[in-house]
């Protein structure tokens, strides 16, 4: 039986991007947030049943004071969101089973990698 993958963008409004990603019969939630100009970081996270299975950070301190900061930030958030989804899907396809992938993510989280 062929499994289908589906990406559903739920929200791209404001300073957050949110998607649901269905691989086979498992749905993951992908969320990208701006952590604010105090940290100048955006974080994209992939969740499975409320637990983070992948996180990706980007720094935007190099353009925080630019006139077009808000445009550049939104573009960076969108590209970080898409790259996180791509990285996650690629990682899933390289693993033998989903359980192996989740076990590796848990091990990386424990070692803070």
């Amino acid at each position: 039986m062929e499994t289908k993958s589906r990406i559903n963008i739920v929200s791209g409004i404001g300073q957050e991007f949110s998607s649901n990603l269905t691989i086979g019969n498992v749905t993951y939630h992908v969320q990208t947030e701006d952590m604010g100009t105090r940290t100048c970081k955006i974080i994209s996270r992939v969740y499975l049943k409320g637990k983070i299975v992948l996180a990706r950070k980007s720094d935007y301190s190099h353009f925080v004071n630019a006139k077009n900061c808000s445009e550049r930030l939104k573009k960076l958030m969108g590209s970080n969101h898409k790259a996180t989804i791509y990285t996650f899907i690629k990682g899933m396809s390289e693993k033998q089973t989903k359980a192996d992938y989740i076990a590796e993510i848990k091990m990386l989280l424990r070692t803070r990698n």
Side-chain angles (χ1 to χ4, degrees):
M1 184 164 109
E2 184 179 317
T3 60
K4 295 183 179 181
S5 296
R6 188 178 65 209
I7 299 172
N8 179 29
I9 302 285
V10 177
S11 165
I13 304 169
Q15 301 298 57
E16 178 184 306
F17 286 80
S18 182
S19 303
N20 288 325
L21 173 63
T22 303
I23 300 174
N25 60 353
V26 180
T27 299
Y28 301 89
H29 181 71
V30 185
Q31 188 168 339
T32 300
E33 299 175 89
D34 174 15
M35 303 313 289
T37 56
R38 199 167 179 200
T39 63
C40 295
K41 299 238 185 292
I42 59 170
I43 301 176
S44 295
R45 296 180 180 105
V46 179
Y47 295 91
L48 175 61
K49 297 180 182 177
K51 294 186 180 180
I52 299 169
V53 294
L54 179 72
R56 179 186 178 107
K57 293 180 186 179
S58 290
D59 184 345
Y60 63 90
S61 60
H62 58 286
F63 66 77
V64 72
N65 293 321
K67 289 182 183 179
N68 62 347
C69 177
S70 131
E71 293 170 19
R72 291 175 71 179
L73 178 58
K74 190 168 184 174
K75 186 176 179 180
L76 178 63
M77 288 178 71
S79 64
N80 200 69
H81 191 79
K82 289 176 187 175
T84 301
I85 291 170
Y86 173 80
T87 300
F88 182 73
I89 290 172
K90 186 175 183 216
M92 288 291 288
S93 67
E94 291 175 354
K95 301 296 172 196
Q96 287 185 333
T97 67
K98 292 175 189 168
D100 292 339
Y101 182 75
I102 298 299
E104 182 178 342
I105 294 295
K106 286 179 180 177
M107 187 271 306
L108 289 170
L109 289 170
R110 277 193 298 269
T111 58
R112 298 190 183 272
N113 288 322

